[in-house]
Amino acid sequence: MASQANESIFHGIPASPGIAIGSALVLARNEFSLEQKKIQSTEVDNEIARFREALGKTRIQIQELQLKIQKILSEKDAKIFDAHLLILEDKTLMDEIEDTVKKDKLNIDYVFSKTIERYIVAISSIEDKYFRERASDIKDVAERVLKNLHGREDVFLDHLPGERVIIAHDLTPSDTAGLDRENVLAFATESGSRTSHTAIMARSMQIPAVVGTRNILTLIKSGDLIIIDGHAGNIIVNPTQETLATYAEKETREQKFYEEMLKENNLRPETLDGFRVQLAANMDKAEEISNAKLYGAAGVGLFRTEYLLINSTGIPSEEEQFSVYSSLASALEGQPVIIRTFDVGGDKLSDVITPHHEANPFLGCRAVRLFREHEEIIANQIRAILRASAFGKVKMMFPMITTAEEIDEFQKIIQKVKEELTLGKIAFDERIEVGIMIEIPSAAIQADHLARKVDFFSIGSNDLVQYAMAVDRTNEKVAYLYQPANPAILKLIKNVVIAARRHKIWVSICGEMAGDPRYTPILLGMGIHELSMTPASIGPVRRLVRSLKMHDAQKLVEKSLSANSAKEVIQMSEELISRVAPDIINLAGTGD
Ligand code: PEP
Ligand code: MG
């Protein structure tokens, strides 16, 4: 932290570019003191009174929220909260909690959360959509009651009272997906890193963000004037007039730069010596298609369908999925869309599929692994994707592939679903391309074998770096080791590209590396066919591609593969970029 008069500057990891200036809203750390504490007999009545008061307050808050939703949305949407109110009226549950406090002489917070936890586990184990939804309702209500027990003000991130800069310990990807885009100017968090899904979501929503900034929660107060610089990763608190003027000017300059870039949308992403690369869009929500078009994407290189599950009260039916996928395919008017099957787990938790707790969620039941016991969920999704393929150029992709057998299993399911569709005379593209993500080292190493089984590869560098370097992609403490440019990672990527080219299949990269201009010359020089990224990154990458010569890019790859460190690789790449496109270098983040 640096400080001048009242101005303080904190440095974090730049997660989403852009500059925002506004008033801070500091969110309480999402952690409750749930320690078990013994209480005296004389304290029992007080604990129970506190509990009843919290229940009453929660009831009023839910009723107020219901009225608000009824006004903004509809009566039907507001009715969802009836289930929440019913939980508060559940006499058996509430009596059990109060009796335990009286009998065991334990603090109410602990007894309440333990009892609720037991209920949730019991309900979640019932294989029925209705009960899974109830578990998620109970969890929601319990969080509200706990907040009220702790006397915390409730903040609805999806309905903020006016424009604010959010300061939080952490935001989950689902918090971020639900952010009130009108009123959230930017956010800064204490935890997280550049490739956490929260950061990825911020980039696709074009919300400036800085993550991994230690201790800001205790040093920033709600109402402080804040500047968030999402390029440099700076958070400036109570800036001087001079700083404010500098940043206001920077903001204007930046907007102009991006506006100018929009004029280049129709230019071909081709090097000076005529090598072409496809620039596609990554999308988390179907509504982002307007952005993909605005920035001139050549289709969608990654549609993350898991956001249909996150913040949802149930698994969307085949019809609901079909409606999303087919609208997307039609809206793209012949441009391709790669629909990736649900990649839930890791930092993307969904109450409807992943209710249980795992010690190492990134190494656990994530993505395709979740469906070994729920083949019907994946078969339904495959069916919806296949049906949508009759409406445009749809491709299907499986994430987190570890072994060749997994591919064989999916191909069998696809075959079975295709036969059912044919029997039912339901249209689909019989030659639909099926691909896999290469994001686990075992898949990258045996790419040559896997390439025989699929139509394309898409390199998920976000996870490939995480698994190859053994660094949790969301943990700011080890972010210094999260090195996409490490020669070890470059060798893995190169191996995948060689295998794809040898077997004449097409290879793309859809991890965050693809949209960071510092890696563009290297990825281009390796021979990757497509770079798929957050739509707003397409402009700078296109301009850079058009300023490069393939020969220089290939030379850089050669030197990078035998470099000593990621730092050395980035230095060499930045030297090349500053020679051919100096205005692009200022845009690149410095977080990796
Ligand atoms: C990746 O791992 O690079 C990727 C694109 O997938 P996700 O970020 O959704 O894990
Ligand atoms: Mg991934």
Side-chain angles (χ1 to χ4, degrees), residues 195-197 200 282 284 302 304 306-307 340 343 347-348 362 366 397 399-400 437-439 458-467 473 482 509-513 532:
T195 50
S196 58
H197 283 98
I200 294 173
N282 286 356
D284 303 330
L302 168 65
R304 289 184 166 97
E306 53 275 12
Y307 286 99
R340 176 175 81 176
D343 180 9
D347 61 342
K348 287 177 288 195
F362 275 117
R366 186 184 161 188
M397 176 160 80
M400 289 282 293
M437 289 198 65
I438 303 282
E439 49 187 348
S458 188
I459 301 170
S461 54
N462 303 339
D463 279 311
L464 188 59
V465 175
Q466 152 165 272
Y467 295 124
R473 64 192 263 191
Y482 190 93
I509 177 159
C510 62
E512 294 307 297
M513 274 180 98
S532 189

Side-chain angles (χ1 to χ4, degrees), residues 103 149 247 249 387 402 430 555:
K103 191 165 63 57
L149 269 172
Y247 271 94
E249 195 201 314
R387 285 174 57 199
T402 318
E430 305 214 7
K555 257 194 356 215

Side-chain angles (χ1 to χ4, degrees), residues 151-263:
R152 290 206 178 122
E153 206 187 314
D154 209 350
V155 172
F156 298 106
L157 287 177
D158 47 357
H159 292 104
L160 283 188
E163 294 189 338
R164 305 297 283 268
V165 173
I166 305 285
I167 309 290
H169 172 68
D170 193 15
L171 291 175
T172 63
S174 67
D175 289 335
T176 316
L179 283 181
D180 173 354
R181 187 62 201 92
E182 289 290 299
N183 287 321
V184 175
L185 297 173
F187 70 78
T189 59
E190 292 188 324
S191 62
S193 71
R194 233 181 106 69
T195 50
S196 58
H197 283 98
T198 297
I200 294 173
M201 187 52 100
R203 283 196 285 281
S204 63
M205 292 169 81
Q206 294 182 276
I207 299 178
V210 176
V211 298
T213 325
R214 301 221 187 133
N215 299 328
I216 43 171
L217 234 52
T218 47
L219 299 164
I220 300 178
K221 294 188 301 303
S222 282
D224 280 347
L225 183 63
I226 303 275
I227 301 176
I228 299 280
D229 177 352
H231 292 297
N234 287 333
I235 303 164
I236 301 149
V237 188
N238 296 324
T240 61
Q241 283 305 321
E242 201 185 332
T243 311
L244 270 175
T246 312
Y247 271 94
E249 195 201 314
K250 213 169 159 184
E251 196 180 3
T252 317
R253 220 177 33 234
E254 203 175 88
Q255 274 167 0
K256 234 170 107 190
F257 180 77
Y258 275 98
E259 272 162 27
E260 258 174 43
M261 202 90 67
L262 284 180
K263 295 185 200 139

Side-chain angles (χ1 to χ4, degrees), residues 476-509:
E476 71 285 358
K477 294 197 186 78
V478 286
Y480 71 100
L481 277 175
Y482 190 93
Q483 302 173 343
N486 188 289
I489 301 295
L490 301 184
K491 281 178 187 157
L492 283 174
I493 296 179
K494 179 91 184 137
N495 191 51
V496 177
V497 178
I498 291 175
R501 288 198 165 259
R502 180 176 303 138
H503 293 280
K504 298 197 170 26
I505 66 166
W506 170 88
V507 55
S508 107
I509 177 159

